[in-house]
Amino acid sequence: MSLRFWQRIRLAPGVTLNLSKSTASLSFGPRGAKYTVSPRGNRATLGLPGTGLFYTIQDRKGARAATPTRDKLSLGFFWRLVTSPEEKALIDGLRALSEGDEDAALSHLEAANDLPDAAWMAGMIRLKQEAFAQARVHLESALAAGGRLGALLTKYDLAPQSTLPMAKGIFAHISPTERGTRLALVELCEASGDAEGATQHLERLLVIAPEDPVVLLSFVQIALDTPQDHDLLDRVIALTVATQNETPIDTGILLYRARALAVRGLPDAAIDVLTRAGRRRKDRPDRLLHQIRHDRAELYERVGRKAQARREFEKLFVEAPEFEGLAERLGLR
């Protein structure tokens, strides 16, 4: 069976930057999936492409009178006298970004690359431009700063967020923290064909964010690319043992858990996991549910339950007649 379901998509088109001119808010993210921080309250919006379903979480606690972003990013004359050239460049870069001048913003931010916050912002812009090598240099520099990352942005009361496409239908909200930067580097390494680099960042993420379902989804997806590594597959099985089918991300994780079990010679256990994964259909992408049905049908066939396999394949054909190789399998072509 095919081991890869959620093909990773090109990272850069899902990275968008916008600094609001009306209030001190900063919103990053592709259409339908973004996180906005503002004095009016924080909100997270997550959409599942192709389903028309969106999730928004609003938190108005702590809202205060709005301060225009331009005012926050303006350094008065006397303040500039005691501000380093690099910090001035960071602020000038953020001002340019808020005014929509991405090239000027990048020029200022890269001039202040010794500041981890400037490096992080420059890295996100370079990702947007698909300049992966330059983006990696900036993000690794920001990551190396440790606890200093995010400090200057906090000083100016700004909380940048970015939204990265981890897989089809799955987005991760990130910020200038170790977790957020490593998640960006995982996707960047994947886009650059550096599986070893991606794995190294994921190993660290499993230490600092072991409960993060996006981290777990990324890890199991990469692990299943090397099905001959039985120790790695056993880690997937161990790490996913507590996964409940509460969200679409959980459903995807269960699919990979079932695949790991199947490769390790436990097809009946894999069938049980797929059956559980397929029970929840609300809010799940059709493509994910179709893949679950297909994988379960293949396993039925593998254990000799031919009639059940045929029924599953026929049901799948009714739902998705265009599913790759299905018509041929059913003898319809």
Side-chain angles (χ1 to χ4, degrees):
M1 68 180 70
S2 171
L3 292 177
R4 177 71 85 166
F5 162 62
W6 260 317
Q7 296 293 333
R8 289 176 185 267
I9 56 181
R10 288 183 68 85
L11 183 149
V15 180
T16 58
L17 307 172
N18 174 52
L19 189 61
S20 171
K21 297 178 181 180
S22 59
T23 66
S25 68
L26 191 57
S27 301
F28 293 2
R31 183 178 181 182
K34 66 181 180 179
Y35 190 89
T36 302
V37 177
S38 79
R40 299 193 183 104
N42 303 340
R43 66 181 182 276
T45 302
L46 178 62
L48 297 176
T51 67
L53 298 172
F54 294 86
Y55 302 92
T56 300
I57 300 173
Q58 185 88 28
D59 180 9
R60 295 183 178 275
K61 293 181 180 179
R64 58 184 182 276
T67 302
T69 302
R70 289 187 179 184
D71 290 348
K72 282 183 173 287
L73 300 179
S74 295
L75 289 174
F77 175 74
F78 291 105
W79 185 242
R80 279 187 175 265
L81 291 179
V82 295
T83 302
S84 68
E86 292 80 9
E87 193 169 333
K88 293 174 187 175
L90 169 63
I91 296 306
D92 289 340
L94 292 174
R95 278 180 57 84
L97 187 61
S98 74
E99 293 166 358
D101 192 341
E102 189 175 286
D103 291 337
L106 190 56
S107 177
H108 288 300
L109 292 168
E110 290 188 328
N113 192 59
D114 288 342
L115 298 179
D117 292 358
W120 193 87
M121 296 293 295
M124 298 310 296
I125 295 175
R126 285 298 186 188
L127 279 182
K128 183 171 183 276
Q129 296 178 345
E130 303 187 31
F132 294 147
Q134 292 164 292
R136 184 169 184 171
V137 169
H138 290 315
L139 292 175
E140 287 179 345
S141 174
L143 184 63
R148 294 190 297 125
L149 179 59
L152 279 177
L153 290 166
T154 299
K155 173 182 175 179
Y156 289 98
D157 200 22
L158 294 172
Q161 297 275 342
S162 180
T163 304
L164 299 177
M166 309 300 292
K168 288 188 181 299
I170 303 296
F171 299 88
H173 300 302
I174 70 169
S175 57
T177 61
E178 181 180 358
R179 172 197 175 271
T181 307
R182 286 191 186 275
L183 277 174
L185 283 165
V186 166
E187 296 305 302
L188 191 153
C189 287
E190 279 279 281
S192 305
D194 182 6
E196 183 178 354
T199 300
Q200 289 175 351
H201 287 297
L202 280 168
E203 290 288 0
R204 173 60 181 165
L205 283 165
L206 285 171
V207 173
I208 65 174
E211 305 299 322
D212 189 328
V214 171
V215 171
L216 185 55
L217 175 62
S218 294
F219 177 78
V220 299
Q221 181 165 288
I222 288 177
L224 266 292
D225 282 342
T226 54
Q228 69 278 6
D229 189 336
H230 289 178
D231 289 340
L232 194 56
L233 293 182
D234 288 345
R235 280 192 69 195
V236 169
I237 294 169
L239 287 169
T240 58
V241 69
T243 300
Q244 301 298 312
N245 195 12
E246 300 296 333
T247 70
I249 295 179
D250 293 334
T251 307
I253 291 170
L254 289 174
L255 172 61
Y256 286 108
R257 173 176 171 80
R259 287 180 171 181
L261 289 166
V263 173
R264 292 296 279 131
L266 301 168
D268 288 318
I271 289 171
D272 289 343
V273 171
L274 290 171
T275 299
R276 179 157 56 95
R279 282 183 183 141
R280 287 209 173 189
R281 306 184 67 85
K282 184 179 180 181
D283 302 342
R284 278 25 175 197
D286 287 342
R287 185 167 178 261
L288 174 56
L289 294 172
H290 294 159
Q291 192 67 51
I292 288 171
R293 188 180 292 281
H294 179 270
D295 280 26
R296 186 169 59 179
E298 283 196 329
L299 287 170
Y300 279 147
E301 199 169 61
R302 176 175 161 181
V303 298
R305 296 157 69 174
K306 304 293 185 181
Q308 284 178 289
R310 177 74 187 192
R311 282 196 295 272
E312 286 291 284
F313 284 130
E314 288 183 3
K315 289 178 181 178
L316 179 58
F317 184 78
V318 171
E319 296 173 358
E322 74 288 350
F323 197 98
E324 184 178 359
L326 183 58
E328 291 82 356
R329 183 187 288 271
L330 290 170
L332 301 176
R333 289 181 185 170

